[in-house]
Amino acid sequence: MDEPSQSMANMWPDLIKKAKDGGLNAIETYVFWNAHEPLRRQYDFSGNNDLIRFIQTVKDEGLYAILRIGPYVCAEWNYGGFPVWLHNMPGIEMRSANNIFMNEMQNFTSLIVDMMKKESLFASQGGPIILAQIENEYGNVISSYGDVGKAYINWCASMAKSLDIGVPWIMCQEDDAPEPMLNTCNGYYCDQFTPNNPNTPKIWTENWTGWFKNWGGLDPKRTAEDVAFAVARFYQNGGSLQNYYMYHGGTNFGRTAGGPYITTTYDYDAPLNEYGSLNQPKYGHLTQLHNILRSMERTLTYGNVTSTDYGNSVFGTVYSIDNTSSCFFGNANVTSDATVNYQGVDYNVPAWSVSILPDCKTEVYNTARVNIQTNLMVKESNQAEDEPASLKWSWRPEINLEQTLVQGKGQVSTGMIVDQKVTNDVSDYLWYMTSLNVDKDDPILTDDMSIRVNATGHILHAYVNGEYLDSQWATYGIFNYVFEKKVKLNPGKNQITLLSATVGLQNYGPKFDVVQSGISGPVEIIGRKGDETIIKDLSLHKWSYKTGLHGLDNKIYNSDSKFSAQWNSDNLPLNKMLTWYKTTFKAPLGEDPVALDMQGLGKGLAWVNGNSIGRYWPSYMAQEDGCSTEACDYRGSYYSSKCDTNCGQPTQRWLVSHNIFS
């Protein structure tokens, strides 16, 4: 439920039905705190944020639900799902035994629980929700928090228990989850996972069907054979519940992508692709597996287990009850196929595969033998257009730039450089403005001058005295860099304007919430003359700040904006920063998903019919190397870069707009 346009919620019944048809019996969802409480104590459960409607839709399809409240979610989602106003509360320490944070977290968690109870949605009330989650992957970072981390996780457990929901609570990736919390596993493989309490079920919260994508990164792919192998091995080794992350990856519409540098697409090589279509053969191959496992449900749930080690990483497991037996033969060897003799019959088990015999006699499924035809998505031009390739564009500049670039007029001023999160992340854009008076005989005024800016890995555009100087940005995983460019200053007043643009806030890692964004400083003017270097630090100057852009503030992407008529159709500028572009096209024929080809554009935000469909950046090319011309070998442990594709191409060329024309 990660799409912001109102009509996207209309896709839920179709996606959930496809999941059911694919053999699933439960749907798992996060709850996004920043989507539901964008401003403190101001809630939004409308449209695509209608959590009740989503759970009811799951119920209507006859499926169970798993509610991962968190409320930290990670999910490559902006700021890990935390609303940024939390960061700006005085004295707060997030994900810690800090009263300010715990009060806010309890307030939101209680709100969600009370909403579910009111609609009788917990299984204890006859509803579909069979599990709820508190916190998320905290065990991965708990060592960074010390004693307050342990105290915090104990508080989480106590607080969750006090809410009395009548179904179990889970904590994923939390090896020391306090009772009665159930600790669960996330990863590519969880067959060797053992819960910290031997009396609790073996639960796999996230089976990663692929991996996410970042700007500049390649397309990660995970084979159907390997995903099926991981699932079959999990149930062979006593697994109780396995959830795909993702089953439908979807799209990071609007500004929801985190990172920084996570792309708008969140396809995740999932069984249901970004467009909501079947990703074959993965969808079909897993569907067959699910149906077979469900046919063995009673035996797997209640049967006695006998395991046999055949050597060379080959294992057999038999589940038996009431004269009924089901068998798994697993071969974890990466190169060698195996022959297993069971009750006088030989069974061939290919390398890195699991064979399933529901009656211990006939093999009905092997994870490495795919008999589903691969499908290939074809993108066709819009047949509703007479000349679909020749869209007519109009444009307009971002206005009021004179006040910002030359006059340095902002909304607030301080005597320091501030983190961009002080704006509560209402926009990607924040202007930093200051002035510098230089006496004509100031020794810094030389023929060799530069401006040096310490920034934090997103995008920086620099202007001096109203003139564009240059831009810079870092790559995925780099949280800071130094921008330094030659500059010419004049005797007297000089205006320095820096535009910082975020590309999703940090969403993961120890104390990710305090990772800086925007301009961290110092900002310095450097003059060199011979062997002498003179530095003026502007960090403690008076700085003025302005959030956003005029076009964003006035929603000129909407047809009913008072500025909607102020567009030019002549002299279309190319490669010009801070320029708005607009075109129209006829709604495509038929019911197929709709994608926009963004090739030829630079970087920005896109809207269709007033609905934000996310950030685009087709000029950001994926790295040149790391792709193989050979088919991906499913054998051997998967890792995120094992089967990459798309070398040297735009990181993301297409944006999904789905059925927003309805």
Side-chain angles (χ1 to χ4, degrees):
M1 51 174 306
D2 52 358
E3 299 90 352
S5 69
Q6 194 85 357
S7 59
M8 285 306 300
N10 295 333
M11 291 188 67
W12 294 345
D14 178 65
L15 291 169
I16 292 168
K17 184 178 187 305
K18 286 174 178 173
K20 182 179 181 180
D21 292 344
L24 302 193
N25 55 13
I27 300 293
E28 184 175 283
T29 184
Y30 278 129
V31 179
F32 297 96
W33 190 356
N34 56 6
H36 296 303
E37 194 177 359
L39 299 173
R40 188 169 185 263
R41 303 301 183 264
Q42 296 184 32
Y43 302 107
D44 182 2
F45 290 93
S46 64
N48 204 60
N49 290 334
D50 193 342
L51 181 61
I52 296 294
R53 178 182 171 187
F54 182 82
I55 300 297
Q56 290 280 17
T57 307
V58 171
K59 179 182 179 181
D60 292 344
E61 198 56 61
L63 301 180
Y64 297 112
I66 299 170
L67 192 65
R68 300 179 70 182
I69 301 174
Y72 164 72
V73 298
C74 183
E76 289 70 59
W77 188 271
N78 192 46
Y79 212 42
F82 282 160
V84 180
W85 54 258
L86 270 178
H87 171 80
N88 295 316
M89 295 186 70
I92 197 166
E93 293 180 15
M94 289 152 74
R95 302 184 84 189
S96 177
N98 170 273
N99 287 333
I100 300 168
F101 175 71
M102 292 189 298
N103 287 341
E104 295 301 321
M105 177 174 165
Q106 182 167 359
N107 179 79
F108 180 75
T109 305
S110 301
L111 174 78
I112 298 300
V113 166
D114 289 345
M115 288 176 63
M116 299 302 116
K117 284 184 176 180
K118 183 177 179 181
E119 300 296 328
S120 299
L121 292 176
F122 287 108
S124 54
Q125 303 171 291
I129 302 173
I130 56 174
L131 293 171
Q133 180 174 310
I134 194 70
E135 249 299 340
N136 187 45
E137 296 185 337
Y138 193 73
N140 295 347
V141 298
I142 191 170
S143 62
S144 300
Y145 293 84
D147 292 342
V148 294
K150 181 63 177 175
Y152 167 64
I153 212 68
N154 287 335
W155 171 84
C156 286
S158 176
M159 184 267 287
K161 182 181 178 181
S162 72
L163 296 176
D164 192 25
I165 60 177
V167 302
W169 286 92
I170 59 176
M171 284 183 169
C172 68
Q173 299 294 90
E174 190 62 54
D175 292 340
D176 60 349
E179 292 188 19
M181 305 294 108
L182 309 181
N183 72 312
T184 69
C185 180
N186 292 353
Y188 295 118
Y189 310 97
C190 283
D191 51 282
Q192 299 303 309
F193 167 71
T194 302
N196 64 344
N197 184 335
N199 297 317
T200 62
K202 183 172 176 174
I203 297 175
W204 189 357
T205 336
E206 295 184 11
N207 176 1
W208 302 331
T209 58
W211 200 239
F212 57 85
K213 185 175 177 180
N214 60 79
W215 295 112
L218 301 174
D219 282 1
K221 301 291 181 183
R222 188 182 181 195
T223 64
E225 295 95 325
D226 185 59
V227 178
F229 171 72
V231 174
R233 284 245 298 180
F234 179 71
Y235 286 107
Q236 177 181 358
N237 290 318
S240 297
L241 182 153
Q242 180 264 162
N243 171 75
Y244 294 104
Y245 189 97
M246 307 288 292
Y247 195 77
H248 166 61
T251 307
N252 291 315
F253 288 112
R255 301 175 54 248
T256 56
Y261 286 107
I262 302 300
T263 54
T264 298
T265 178
Y266 201 68
D267 182 82
Y268 227 91
D269 199 24
L272 295 177
N273 68 20
E274 183 177 11
Y275 298 86
S277 304
L278 309 187
N279 176 16
Q280 299 286 29
K282 187 174 286 186
Y283 175 89
H285 191 49
L286 293 175
T287 298
Q288 293 176 343
L289 174 58
H290 302 154
N291 291 338
I292 290 163
L293 290 171
R294 292 179 70 175
S295 75
M296 301 156 55
E297 182 176 349
R298 182 171 181 272
T299 308
L300 294 180
T301 304
Y302 300 105
N304 295 316
V305 183
T306 304
S307 298
T308 304
D309 184 350
Y310 293 99
N312 203 26
S313 300
V314 179
F315 295 87
T317 307
V318 181
Y319 288 80
S320 302
I321 186 173
D322 298 337
N323 299 317
T324 300
S325 297
S326 297
C327 291
F328 294 84
F329 299 135
N331 180 5
N333 193 288
V334 177
T335 56
S336 301
D337 295 351
T339 299
V340 173
N341 185 279
Y342 180 73
Q343 295 186 346
V345 180
D346 286 341
Y347 298 93
N348 175 259
V349 186
W352 205 254
S353 78
V354 177
S355 291
I356 303 177
L357 295 69
D359 59 358
C360 282
K361 295 178 182 179
T362 305
E363 176 192 301
V364 299
Y365 185 88
N366 177 270
T367 60
R369 298 185 180 111
V370 179
N371 57 19
I372 302 295
Q373 187 172 353
T374 300
N375 64 358
L376 181 66
M377 178 174 290
V378 176
K379 298 182 177 72
E380 296 181 343
S381 59
N382 184 2
Q383 301 302 314
E385 296 280 359
D386 297 329
E387 298 180 58
S390 55
L391 296 175
K392 294 181 179 179
W393 291 87
S394 56
W395 67 282
R396 55 166 290 172
E398 170 68 9
I399 66 173
N400 294 340
L401 287 178
E402 173 78 12
Q403 294 180 356
T404 306
L405 299 181
V406 179
Q407 300 175 28
K409 289 186 176 179
Q411 297 152 332
V412 295
S413 298
T414 68
M416 67 176 72
I417 295 173
V418 300
D419 187 292
Q420 191 162 343
K421 290 190 290 293
V422 300
T423 66
N424 286 339
D425 194 43
V426 297
S427 171
D428 281 359
Y429 301 97
L430 179 64
W431 298 89
Y432 292 70
M433 298 166 282
T434 194
S435 60
L436 172 65
N437 286 302
V438 182
D439 192 79
K440 63 181 180 179
D441 55 2
D442 192 314
I444 202 170
L445 203 59
T446 68
D447 293 332
D448 184 7
M449 303 179 67
S450 63
I451 182 171
R452 180 189 293 162
V453 182
N454 286 267
T456 56
H458 297 223
I459 296 173
L460 175 69
H461 305 298
Y463 301 81
V464 176
N465 293 328
E467 297 295 324
Y468 171 65
L469 183 61
D470 208 342
S471 302
Q472 189 168 328
W473 53 89
T475 56
Y476 174 77
I478 304 297
F479 300 145
N480 52 69
Y481 59 79
V482 177
F483 169 96
E484 185 166 354
K485 298 295 177 183
K486 296 288 186 181
V487 68
K488 179 177 174 58
L489 298 184
N490 305 317
K493 182 180 179 181
N494 294 268
Q495 180 64 37
I496 295 168
T497 301
L498 307 172
L499 175 58
S500 172
T502 56
V503 189
L505 296 179
Q506 188 73 17
N507 61 259
Y508 180 75
K511 303 183 181 180
F512 76 89
D513 52 291
V514 295
V515 173
Q516 289 183 306
S517 57
I519 296 171
S520 55
V523 176
E524 300 166 320
I525 301 296
I526 303 168
R528 300 176 182 86
K529 191 170 186 179
D531 295 334
E532 187 179 12
T533 299
I534 300 143
I535 299 176
K536 283 188 182 290
D537 189 344
L538 309 183
S539 304
L540 297 181
H541 276 219
K542 179 182 178 182
W543 287 86
S544 294
Y545 298 92
K546 179 182 176 183
T547 303
L549 301 173
H550 177 273
L552 291 173
D553 296 342
N554 291 280
K555 299 181 179 180
I556 65 170
Y557 45 80
N558 284 338
S559 58
D560 58 357
S561 168
K562 63 180 180 180
F563 298 96
S564 61
Q566 300 175 9
W567 294 80
N568 305 309
S569 56
D570 299 325
N571 303 316
L572 186 73
L574 303 177
N575 299 315
K576 186 175 177 59
M577 291 174 53
L578 299 178
T579 301
W580 292 85
Y581 298 93
K582 179 175 73 171
T583 190
T584 59
F585 58 90
K586 295 178 181 177
L589 304 175
E591 301 296 324
D592 291 330
V594 177
L596 302 183
D597 186 355
M598 310 304 286
Q599 188 79 304
L601 293 173
K603 178 196 173 295
L605 302 165
W607 291 261
V608 175
N609 293 339
N611 297 293
S612 175
I613 60 172
R615 299 183 182 99
Y616 64 85
W617 203 351
S619 60
Y620 205 143
M621 309 299 283
Q623 63 194 60
E624 294 283 349
D625 55 2
C627 298
S628 173
T629 57
E630 304 294 326
C632 182
D633 189 346
Y634 67 86
R635 297 173 301 178
S637 295
Y638 180 77
Y639 48 92
S640 62
S641 60
K642 180 177 180 180
C643 303
D644 281 343
T645 62
N646 203 46
C647 284
Q649 300 299 311
T651 302
Q652 183 178 347
R653 176 175 173 178
W654 305 88
L655 288 189
V656 179
S657 54
H658 282 299
N659 58 346
I660 58 178
F661 307 106
S662 60

